[in-house]
Amino acid sequence: MAYKDFANDFRKGITGDVMFFYGAEDFLMEWALRQVIEKYVDEEWRNLDVRYLDGDRTDAYEIMGEARAFSMFSEKRVVIVRNYLPLFRKSSDAGADELLAFAGEKMGSSILIFTVDSRYSGELTAYGRKMIKAASSYEFASLEKGDLRSFITKRVHAGGKMISRRDLEYLIDLSGYYNKDSGYDLTRMDADILKIVKASEGDDITSGVIEELLIGDSDRFVFNLVDAVVSGNRSKALEVAETIIREEDGALPVTALLIKQFEIMYDAVELSAEGYSIPAMAKMTGVNEYRFKRAYQSASSYSKARLKELLIQLYNIDRDMKRGDIDKDVALELFSVTAASH
């Protein structure tokens, strides 16, 4: 179930006494926990009536004991068990089966909530799947596009700023939220929005501020270097390479990023020839759409054969750098000049 299912059930009071939260979004799980705590536990008594149990240090009998205890001063006692091991790891807990039966009972005096962090949610065991059926379970998956737009807009407005639809889409593309295995989630999005709002001087959030804060220095150097070499500006390419060497001492990591960018450029040439759109190509390759657009634009300056030559050259440079067969700074400078010679 998505977070909307939880919100709807919670509003109707049908979430049950035992719940199980899992999925890709820790941010949404924490939000749901706050909803439960704020509803059932008086703020002044939360240190007594909200219990947190570490799932790799507790067992089923301790969990059931905590859940059977009565609230001291609030409407209900809330017991939160984080990462109970049998849910995602093979574990010998003698009372685990009894806990499954317990999960289907009505307690009345307490709310018991199991949570599994996003990093473990893809590893649920057979026991974990049984818990999904036994408890009131909610999968907090990544937000759909419309919900993500609302999430961002709400926070931007709360910060006293405005954002255009175009810049909103740019922020989403640049963040990589929908990239496969990107690791970029709502927790990071929330933090980045806060930085963007604070860094924006006027009433409107601009693409320049978004780009400045969401693109790392290494990526920015790579984009600048690629722009210089594809334009055939050898002096500019050499200048950027020397800046990387002087200010970042990043010849080796930047070379790795260059390889990635030229690989994307090669893919762009191949897929474009087959008639795919940029969004479709980005989705197929699992690449951030912003990065893919940059690569697609750059690739038009080269033939497929030339891109292949430059990729092989980069692979060899990377190998020789790691072996110590060539000075990394000299290698980056030589590639920059060579690539700019179309």
Side-chain angles (χ1 to χ4, degrees):
M1 290 185 179
Y3 85 98
K4 288 183 178 179
D5 296 311
F6 167 80
N8 185 53
D9 289 353
F10 188 68
R11 185 172 58 253
K12 294 179 179 178
I14 58 173
T15 49
D17 291 339
V18 181
M19 290 178 264
F20 179 22
F21 297 165
Y22 64 101
E25 282 296 355
D26 295 319
F27 186 96
L28 294 177
M29 285 188 263
E30 291 300 319
W31 165 80
L33 288 175
R34 289 196 301 273
Q35 303 306 302
V36 175
I37 292 170
E38 289 171 6
K39 179 176 180 178
Y40 291 110
V41 184
D42 293 338
E43 186 173 1
E44 61 182 310
W45 301 116
R46 287 175 190 170
N47 60 328
L48 293 174
D49 287 332
V50 180
R51 294 283 293 143
Y52 293 93
L53 301 180
D54 189 341
D56 63 359
R57 297 181 181 180
T58 191
D59 59 30
Y61 294 114
E62 182 182 1
I63 293 169
M64 289 185 285
E66 289 284 358
R68 287 180 175 128
F70 287 88
S71 166
M72 294 294 292
F73 302 102
S74 302
E75 181 180 348
K76 289 189 177 184
R77 178 182 174 90
V78 177
V79 180
I80 299 164
V81 185
R82 297 188 185 276
N83 299 323
Y84 177 53
L85 280 180
L87 295 172
F88 61 95
R89 291 280 189 276
K90 288 184 178 181
S91 178
S92 55
D93 186 343
D97 289 337
E98 189 176 337
L99 182 59
L100 274 178
F102 182 80
E105 297 178 7
K106 184 172 179 60
M107 292 178 288
S109 62
S110 298
I111 300 290
L112 173 61
I113 305 175
F114 294 92
T115 69
V116 171
D117 291 349
S118 60
R119 65 183 186 275
Y120 302 130
S121 287
E123 305 171 20
L124 295 183
T125 60
Y127 181 86
R129 291 189 288 274
K130 289 179 181 178
M131 182 61 77
I132 289 175
K133 295 179 180 179
S136 295
S137 300
Y138 300 92
E139 180 179 3
F140 292 87
S142 299
L143 291 182
E144 295 179 358
K145 198 71 171 284
D147 294 324
L148 183 61
R149 292 189 188 107
S150 297
F151 178 91
I152 296 169
T153 303
K154 182 179 179 180
R155 279 154 179 75
V156 168
H157 290 173
K161 304 292 182 180
M162 301 293 292
I163 186 168
S164 69
R165 181 62 178 265
R166 180 178 179 179
D167 288 330
L168 174 60
E169 295 300 323
Y170 182 61
L171 193 161
I172 292 172
D173 288 345
L174 198 56
S175 73
Y177 181 80
Y178 291 110
N179 290 0
K180 185 179 179 181
D181 301 324
S182 74
Y184 191 94
D185 57 13
L186 287 180
T187 301
R188 289 181 60 187
M189 177 70 82
D190 188 57
D192 282 341
I193 293 170
L194 180 61
K195 289 189 294 184
I196 290 168
V197 166
K198 288 185 175 179
S200 299
E201 296 181 356
D203 294 333
D204 296 321
I205 288 174
T206 65
S207 59
V209 172
I210 294 170
E211 184 171 324
E212 182 180 352
L213 293 177
L214 291 194
I215 298 178
D217 287 340
S218 293
D219 275 328
R220 190 174 292 107
F221 277 127
V222 167
F223 292 144
N224 290 342
L225 183 54
V226 171
D227 286 345
V229 298
V230 299
S231 68
N233 190 335
R234 285 182 289 179
S235 62
K236 180 64 176 179
L238 188 58
E239 179 185 334
V240 175
E242 289 173 347
T243 300
I244 293 169
I245 294 165
R246 183 174 62 253
E247 296 186 5
E248 294 294 309
D249 190 26
L252 193 58
V254 166
T255 299
L257 289 172
L258 272 173
I259 290 173
K260 180 63 177 175
Q261 193 68 2
F262 271 86
E263 286 175 339
I264 299 169
M265 289 164 66
Y266 189 84
D267 289 339
V269 169
E270 285 198 319
L271 293 173
S272 179
E274 296 177 24
Y276 291 102
S277 66
I278 291 177
M281 289 188 284
K283 186 175 182 179
M284 290 172 68
T285 56
V287 175
N288 178 295
E289 190 167 327
Y290 171 81
R291 181 182 285 278
F292 198 94
K293 286 178 182 176
R294 295 290 298 254
Y296 178 82
Q297 293 164 356
S298 300
S300 62
S301 299
Y302 294 106
S303 67
K304 183 178 175 181
R306 179 58 173 157
L307 282 172
K308 184 176 180 180
E309 290 175 3
L310 291 173
L311 259 178
I312 292 173
Q313 186 177 343
L314 280 168
Y315 290 144
N316 290 336
I317 287 173
D318 184 62
R319 178 200 62 204
D320 292 341
M321 281 180 170
K322 290 174 180 176
R323 286 179 177 177
D325 293 341
I326 189 172
D327 181 87
K328 63 184 187 301
D329 297 338
V330 172
L332 181 61
E333 290 174 330
L334 286 174
F335 174 80
S336 301
V337 173
T338 301
S341 303
H342 293 194

